[in-house]
Amino acid sequence: MERQLMESTRDNVLYFPTKWLWGAQTQRSLQNFDIGGERERMPEPIICAFGILKKCAAKVNMEYGLDPSIGKAIMQAAQEVAEGKLNDHFPLVVWQTGSGTQSNMNANEVIANRAAEILGHKRGEKFVHPNDHVNRSQSSNDTFPSTGDAIWQLAQGGTAVGTGLNTKKGFDVKIAAAVAEETNLPFVTAENKFEALSAHDAFVETGGALNTIAASLMKVANDIRLLGSGPRCGLGELILPENEPGSSIMPGKVNPTQCEALTMVCAQVMGNQVAITVGGSNGHFELNVFKPMIASNLLRSLRLLGDASASFEKNCVRGIQANKERISKLLHESLMLVTSLNPKIGYDNAAAVAKKAHKEGSTLKEAALKLGVLTSEEFDKHVVPENMIGPSD
């Protein structure tokens, strides 16, 4: 059986033709890159983008001589891919060839076989050919980066190394226009196809922006977690929503769970950006062969940050309350209120007041009166926390 399988994949015929729409190249990848299982599958947004690109390519290729009946069948099949109707037929994982060739061929094979069915032919007959028809005027090297394009400048039309070999003049501009019309987004063709295939600075920059957001959210979540610590031995200035029990052994314990989830997501996004940066720095000569990983990590970071932020707002921020009694107590016990006395009694005297209050466990007012540097009325006039939130008049 194993020998027959290898022979069938070498001959580029379908394996299990009654069940799956994919063909030999997809099957080879399943066998050769058994890394991570279903959880590591190519992200669905990329699969849908393949559908859009293949549909638009068929539309433009009909202008350059592709048989209209085949072209229209490809467009119909590709639309099904774009709508997610054929997701089960895209089993490949991210960890494959760095150019994304196997996922491109997965799309070509699925669309070719589905188009053949639409035209009344059997799967595997190659009445619609995955390379000659579906992949016409394309290469994995320009198709895959176009599926994850974040800069409105498509690499499509550069084919293998940026020269546009096996395309017709104007194909790149026309397919960009077709994609723009299909998605209602301002896609244009990349001016420099060599750069578009080998350098992915825009992805690194986008990941960097997400990394910045992650760093900011990490600070926000940690501030809220610390301000909500308590209720008796922490700061306790904020009262956080008690969404679920926080311990399986300590009764009544409640954790800042949304803060913890968000900070873990932020850490993952930062890690994703490290991988994106490594990938972006490895565009050797005419091709970057880290494309699947770069696209997957960027999509994962976008999804995680979006979901985590929405969850954090809904299940934490929206329900936060200020513990006014605790805030007032800590405020009026703070030794740093002595700062407002600097203009009145000078730095050295103010420092003496603070040190005495700290050493004796007294209030600032009591220490000031004992040292004789202020009267009670003068202290109350100058130490007003509400006046310490900005410059004085």
Side-chain angles (χ1 to χ4, degrees):
M1 178 64 181
E2 183 177 346
R3 182 175 180 181
Q4 291 174 347
L5 173 58
M6 293 303 293
E7 289 176 350
S8 70
T9 57
R10 276 201 305 268
D11 295 335
N12 286 337
V13 297
L14 282 175
Y15 183 58
F16 295 147
T18 58
K19 186 175 182 181
W20 304 116
L21 286 167
W22 70 68
Q25 293 217 44
T26 303
Q27 187 62 36
R28 284 196 203 96
S29 185
L30 275 176
Q31 295 168 207
N32 295 335
F33 298 94
D34 185 11
I35 304 173
E38 291 190 6
R39 79 184 81 182
E40 296 295 327
R41 279 189 174 185
M42 191 64 67
E44 289 183 3
I46 291 180
I47 303 304
C48 293
F50 265 121
I52 293 172
L53 274 174
K54 299 298 180 182
K55 178 182 179 180
C56 293
K59 180 180 180 181
V60 176
N61 279 325
M62 283 190 286
E63 298 182 32
Y64 291 102
L66 177 63
D67 186 305
S69 63
I70 291 178
K72 290 176 182 177
I74 290 174
M75 290 182 68
Q76 182 178 335
Q79 180 63 32
E80 293 179 11
V81 172
E83 292 174 356
K85 294 179 179 179
L86 302 179
N87 282 349
D88 289 344
H89 300 274
F90 289 85
L92 302 188
V93 295
V94 170
W95 316 109
Q96 54 173 278
T97 180
S99 61
T101 297
Q102 285 130 359
S103 281
N104 181 43
M105 284 308 303
N106 187 183
N108 291 332
E109 291 173 341
V110 168
I111 292 170
N113 279 311
R114 179 65 188 121
E117 286 184 338
I118 292 169
L119 294 172
H121 293 264
K122 293 181 180 180
R123 303 177 183 182
E125 292 181 352
K126 292 193 177 179
F127 180 82
V128 179
H129 199 284
N131 297 83
D132 296 339
H133 297 140
V134 183
N135 198 59
R136 181 167 173 166
S137 302
Q138 303 155 67
S139 165
S140 301
N141 293 357
D142 64 348
T143 299
F144 194 93
S146 294
T147 64
D149 208 294
I151 55 174
W152 314 115
Q153 294 185 11
L154 295 180
Q156 203 71 59
T159 61
V161 296
T163 61
L165 176 67
N166 287 354
T167 66
K168 299 291 186 180
K169 288 184 178 180
F171 175 84
D172 56 346
V173 174
K174 289 186 177 182
I175 192 170
V179 172
E181 182 180 3
E182 184 73 20
T183 61
N184 199 30
L185 293 171
F187 284 105
V188 295
T189 190
E191 182 177 347
N192 187 330
K193 304 297 191 303
F194 299 98
E195 186 273 341
L197 267 61
S198 62
H200 294 317
D201 295 347
F203 290 91
V204 177
E205 184 176 356
T206 302
L210 297 178
N211 193 71
T212 301
I213 294 171
S216 179
L217 289 175
M218 178 78 82
K219 184 231 180 322
V220 170
N222 279 329
D223 283 354
I224 291 176
R225 171 163 45 185
L226 292 172
L227 288 171
S229 62
R232 295 187 177 180
C233 63
L235 294 176
E237 294 189 17
L238 296 180
I239 302 172
L240 308 186
E242 298 181 357
N243 297 322
E244 58 272 316
S247 174
S248 60
I249 189 173
M250 291 178 278
K253 185 173 184 286
V254 177
N255 290 335
T257 53
Q258 290 293 320
C259 296
E260 292 168 1
L262 181 58
T263 53
M264 284 192 290
V265 164
C266 291
Q268 183 63 61
V269 170
M270 293 173 187
N272 290 349
Q273 177 58 10
V274 171
I276 292 171
T277 301
V278 171
S281 68
N282 276 274
H284 300 135
F285 301 122
E286 291 91 359
L287 183 65
N288 183 300
V289 290
F290 285 72
K291 299 180 193 298
M293 181 274 291
I294 292 173
S296 176
N297 276 15
L298 188 60
L299 287 171
R300 189 181 188 198
S301 291
L302 285 165
R303 183 175 62 252
L304 284 175
L305 275 181
D307 289 351
S309 297
S311 176
F312 188 64
E313 189 282 326
K314 177 183 177 182
N315 298 302
C316 182
V317 175
R318 194 180 300 182
I320 290 176
Q321 299 178 42
N323 188 341
K324 295 182 179 180
E325 183 179 349
R326 175 68 171 165
I327 291 172
S328 179
K329 182 176 185 298
L330 293 176
L331 171 65
H332 290 93
E333 288 179 353
S334 173
L335 295 177
M336 289 304 100
L337 293 177
V338 76
T339 305
S340 62
L341 293 177
N342 285 358
K344 177 65 177 177
I345 63 176
Y347 185 94
D348 291 338
N349 283 333
V353 170
K355 290 177 180 179
K356 184 175 182 62
H358 177 57
K359 182 177 181 179
E360 297 179 355
S362 65
T363 65
L364 287 173
K365 185 174 184 178
E366 291 170 341
L369 294 178
K370 285 182 181 180
L371 291 173
V373 294
L374 285 170
T375 65
S376 176
E377 292 76 14
E378 288 174 326
F379 184 93
D380 291 340
K381 177 182 178 182
H382 289 281
V383 183
V384 182
E386 293 84 349
N387 294 338
M388 297 176 66
I389 58 175
S392 59
D393 293 330

